[in-house]
Amino acid sequence: MAFRGRIVGTKRPFFNLTLKPMAKYIFVTGGVISSLGKGITSASIGKILESRGLKVTLMKFDPYINVDPGTMNPYQHGEVYVTEDGAETDLDLGHYERFTHASMTKFNNATTGQVYNAVISRERRGDYLGKTIQVIPHITNEIKDRVRKVAEVSGADIVISEIGGTVGDIESLPFLEAARQLGLEVGRDNVLYVHVTLVPFIRCAEEIKTKPTQHSVGTLREIGIQPDILICRSERPLSNEVKEKISLFCNVQKEAVIEAKDVDSIYEIPIVFKKQILDEIILSHFHLICKFSDLKDWEKNVVERSVNPRHKVVIAIVGKYLALQDAYKSIYESLVHAGIYNDAKVEIKKVDSEDIEKRGVKEMLGQVSGILVPGGFGYRGIEGKVRAIRFARENKIPFLGLCLGMQCAVIEFARNACGLKDANSTEFRQKNKYPVIALLEEQVNVKDMGGTMRLGAYPCKIKKNTLASKVYGKMLIHERHRHRYEFNGKYKKLLEKKGLVFSGIYPKGNLVEIVELKDHPYFIAVQFHPEFKSKPDNPHPLFRDFIKATLKL
């Protein structure tokens, strides 16, 4: 199908000014094993195409039957990423927003649970007029409609859809079938299939093996999808001979066999792809003519500064989901971004808050440059977090508290600076003498757990002449939330009298959003999740100035 409309990335008309070009679709699949980096691959493809003047958007299909990850254990799923419009989504949407300018919404993540729920709801209403409901065509049609909806809502030139799971899994089959069908419906010139696979190096044989990739591609072809591009994950470089072998047995052009060797920073991946002309291969497939880009700014301002920093700081993250790397993914990345800005390597020290309760705070936090207490749910490990915050406050160690971290900061201050020894949250103890943290009024009658918290972006008015106003440089901000409990306003005057500054307020409900301390190098805690809005080339100001404060010690 010939390209119609305009030459993307330029202002020069092609031949029809009124006809909008058809959106192009890229599907990213994975084979051999999980955790190969399909999300980073998708985000990096989005980055290099965006640099060529194309408007991109990305979406993630998750094969699990949960409606969304909002009620899933962090040890099972990892981080729940929250969008501006309040959707609880997969953590890969965080990669998409960090690498590109695309704004994620509830339309950019779909699960098997959501797809089946939508189809079953229509069947119950009688929308199908008594037809037998089947995976094909009803489930696959719903999946295709969601891809088209993302294209329509975003107005993107390219829609990149990542299909979760591994080729061969039963759970992923409906999504793969939908991707195959869409290629038939819109034409192969408008759909491109990218397959991420593993090319292992067998140390005892000193050989790179291509057979797992061949089998993975074979399974994909049995489903009816011939990949156009292979992203080959390997710890060793791929020789021309290996690429030729993969090309021959997988029916993929040699130039489209892309090496994805392990790198020091994930932000190098777009550069790695660019050097192998992956963008040109994609544009050629779609018959698109775009402006040239070399990604030099990204390479200089992000990659080089992340790989060769001049300074080093050690930041303790005092959490309770530390066993899983992805549980605090956006926080880790936000610290990296702040380090890039401050020309510093941020070494993260993971400190289980329960270990502080067992071994003592000085032993666990004695040699760190800064302390960060992230969000979470439930009483387990709370006392360790409270002790860590007291240690930061009394020893003038830069501190940043996020969501539950802010609530713990309030509890600590109420107990140790205001004399309210039994101060606590009603989340941890429903009946306590000083409930300085309490359930949001709107949450009192909530029974369903999924999607019912205070979610998404809310405005926050910042008080003048405060640390928050200095950090943000403006008096009104919008940040993303995910919580049920809040500061109890009955205790505001007492805590203010003792020195706690309430520097950010949600105007409509008069809810406390930011607390801070004077006469401290950096002590600030927020009810929201700033980590969801940080980018490697534009770090969030709270993280940026947190790391800056640690460098002054």
Side-chain angles (χ1 to χ4, degrees):
M1 184 177 293
F3 168 63
R4 300 180 296 168
R6 61 185 175 84
I7 301 177
V8 183
T10 75
K11 295 182 179 180
R12 182 163 60 89
F14 194 63
F15 66 82
N16 189 335
L17 292 175
T18 61
L19 185 63
K20 178 177 172 58
M22 178 187 293
K24 313 294 183 182
Y25 301 98
I26 298 175
F27 289 96
V28 179
T29 60
V32 185
I33 60 173
S34 60
S35 301
L36 283 178
K38 295 190 300 295
I40 299 295
T41 296
S42 301
S44 298
I45 290 173
K47 178 66 182 178
I48 61 176
L49 293 179
E50 194 176 72
S51 73
R52 298 298 298 268
L54 291 161
K55 183 176 182 180
V56 304
T57 193
L58 302 96
M59 69 182 305
K60 173 71 180 291
F61 286 113
D62 280 306
Y64 51 73
I65 299 175
N66 304 67
V67 172
D68 60 44
T71 57
M72 295 174 72
N73 190 315
Y75 285 121
Q76 290 262 323
H77 179 271
E79 174 186 81
V80 175
Y81 188 81
V82 179
T83 60
E84 286 284 295
D85 62 352
E88 293 175 289
T89 70
D90 186 76
L91 61 86
D92 278 321
L93 272 72
H95 294 313
Y96 304 161
E97 286 200 334
R98 286 188 283 271
F99 277 73
T100 73
H101 294 104
S103 180
M104 299 294 103
T105 69
K106 61 183 179 182
F107 299 111
N108 294 82
N109 193 193
T111 68
T112 294
Q114 290 174 359
V115 170
Y116 273 80
N117 188 49
V119 172
I120 292 170
S121 295
R122 285 198 291 272
E123 187 275 332
R124 293 287 81 191
R125 292 196 304 265
D127 293 1
Y128 295 111
L129 302 176
K131 292 180 180 178
T132 300
I133 309 305
Q134 298 176 288
V135 173
I136 301 172
H138 301 95
I139 297 300
T140 52
N141 283 347
E142 173 67 19
I143 293 167
K144 290 181 292 184
D145 287 345
R146 287 173 180 257
V147 177
R148 292 189 176 101
K149 182 68 174 180
V150 167
E152 176 189 343
V153 169
S154 66
D157 301 306
I158 306 283
V159 179
I160 303 170
S161 299
E162 176 194 347
I163 298 177
T166 305
V167 169
D169 294 346
I170 293 174
E171 295 92 339
S172 301
L173 284 176
F175 298 105
L176 294 168
E177 171 62 17
R180 183 194 70 81
Q181 291 179 15
L182 194 63
L184 292 176
E185 293 172 10
V186 303
R188 283 293 276 118
D189 286 353
N190 294 308
V191 173
L192 181 139
Y193 301 107
V194 177
H195 190 53
V196 184
T197 184
L198 178 68
V199 183
F201 175 75
I202 309 301
R203 293 185 181 277
C204 61
E206 289 289 314
E207 288 182 350
I208 286 177
K209 294 297 184 180
T210 65
K211 194 64 72 176
T213 293
Q214 294 177 42
H215 285 304
S216 180
V217 172
T219 302
L220 194 59
R221 291 168 71 181
E222 288 175 5
I223 296 167
I225 295 176
Q226 167 62 53
D228 301 293
I229 295 170
L230 295 179
I231 306 295
C232 299
R233 290 298 311 277
S234 177
E235 62 178 281
R236 297 290 182 95
L238 303 184
S239 66
N240 283 330
E241 182 183 2
V242 168
K243 288 188 176 183
E244 287 172 355
K245 186 175 182 179
I246 293 172
S247 170
L248 177 64
F249 285 97
C250 297
N251 197 32
V252 174
Q253 292 291 325
K254 178 186 170 184
E255 293 75 16
V257 178
I258 306 298
E259 176 188 297
K261 192 168 69 71
D262 296 344
V263 291
D264 294 327
S265 167
I266 59 172
Y267 302 115
E268 294 181 59
I269 304 296
I271 305 298
V272 171
F273 287 171
K274 177 69 180 175
K275 289 179 179 178
Q276 296 178 77
I277 63 168
L278 179 57
D279 52 340
E280 295 291 349
I281 295 169
I282 295 172
L283 296 177
S284 176
H285 177 90
F286 287 141
H287 308 297
L288 292 176
I289 303 171
C290 298
K291 70 176 186 179
F292 175 76
S293 172
D294 57 13
L295 286 178
K296 287 295 184 185
D297 288 343
W298 180 268
E299 187 171 15
K300 178 181 178 182
N301 298 327
V302 175
V303 176
E304 291 182 5
R305 290 174 68 91
S306 67
V307 174
N308 299 302
R310 290 188 298 169
H311 309 291
K312 177 184 174 182
V313 293
V314 179
I315 303 298
I317 294 184
V318 181
K320 55 187 191 176
Y321 310 122
L322 296 166
L324 185 67
Q325 171 71 15
D326 287 342
Y328 299 116
K329 188 64 176 177
S330 289
I331 292 174
Y332 296 150
E333 292 305 312
S334 296
L335 289 170
V336 171
H337 305 163
I340 291 171
Y341 181 90
N342 288 287
D343 204 9
K345 174 179 173 57
V346 178
E347 182 178 306
I348 295 172
K349 181 179 181 180
K350 300 176 183 179
V351 179
D352 193 309
S353 54
E354 289 184 287
D355 288 341
I356 291 178
E357 297 171 8
K358 298 171 185 175
R359 299 165 57 183
V361 67
K362 287 186 178 180
E363 180 180 344
M364 302 301 296
L365 300 176
Q367 302 297 320
V368 302
S369 310
I371 297 171
L372 187 152
V373 176
F377 299 91
Y379 182 67
R380 181 178 63 84
I382 291 301
E383 295 304 321
K385 292 190 175 193
V386 170
R387 293 178 194 176
I389 295 168
R390 181 178 186 178
F391 185 75
R393 178 174 64 85
E394 294 180 344
N395 291 278
K396 306 294 184 181
I397 299 171
F399 166 75
L400 177 60
L402 310 177
C403 197
L404 179 61
M406 188 206 89
Q407 296 172 8
C408 288
V410 169
I411 292 170
E412 187 281 321
F413 192 84
R415 289 179 182 178
N416 301 308
C418 302
L420 308 180
K421 297 300 181 185
D422 295 324
N424 216 321
S425 167
T426 57
E427 179 183 5
F428 314 135
R429 190 181 300 167
Q430 283 195 338
K431 293 183 179 180
N432 65 81
K433 191 173 181 180
Y434 304 111
V436 292
I437 304 296
L439 191 65
L440 280 159
E441 187 176 341
E442 66 205 49
Q443 295 286 317
V444 173
N445 297 316
V446 168
K447 291 182 171 54
D448 289 341
M449 299 301 292
T452 55
M453 286 186 278
R454 189 181 184 214
L455 294 165
Y458 286 84
C460 173
K461 188 176 181 181
I462 293 181
K463 187 177 181 180
K464 293 181 180 179
N465 302 318
T466 59
L467 175 59
S469 66
K470 180 182 177 182
V471 168
Y472 278 99
K474 52 187 176 182
M475 309 319 301
L476 183 66
I477 60 171
H478 291 78
E479 295 282 6
R480 303 179 195 180
H481 294 67
R482 185 175 182 253
H483 66 104
R484 297 186 191 279
Y485 293 80
E486 62 164 321
F487 173 74
N488 187 344
K490 295 178 182 179
Y491 295 92
K492 186 176 179 183
K493 286 186 178 180
L494 173 60
L495 270 63
E496 275 184 323
K497 185 177 179 180
K498 294 295 184 178
L500 191 65
V501 178
F502 297 89
S503 55
I505 302 293
Y506 170 51
K508 186 177 180 180
N510 197 32
L511 304 178
V512 172
E513 298 274 24
I514 309 174
V515 299
E516 60 183 67
L517 289 176
K518 295 180 180 179
D519 303 321
H520 193 285
Y522 192 90
F523 190 105
I524 191 165
V526 298
Q527 183 59 75
F528 44 81
H529 289 270
E531 67 268 25
F532 294 147
K533 299 183 76 169
S534 185
K535 294 176 180 285
D537 50 356
N538 186 24
H540 192 285
L542 285 169
F543 285 88
R544 178 198 66 204
D545 286 10
F546 174 52
I547 296 302
K548 183 178 180 180
T550 66
L551 290 168
K552 291 182 178 180
L553 291 180

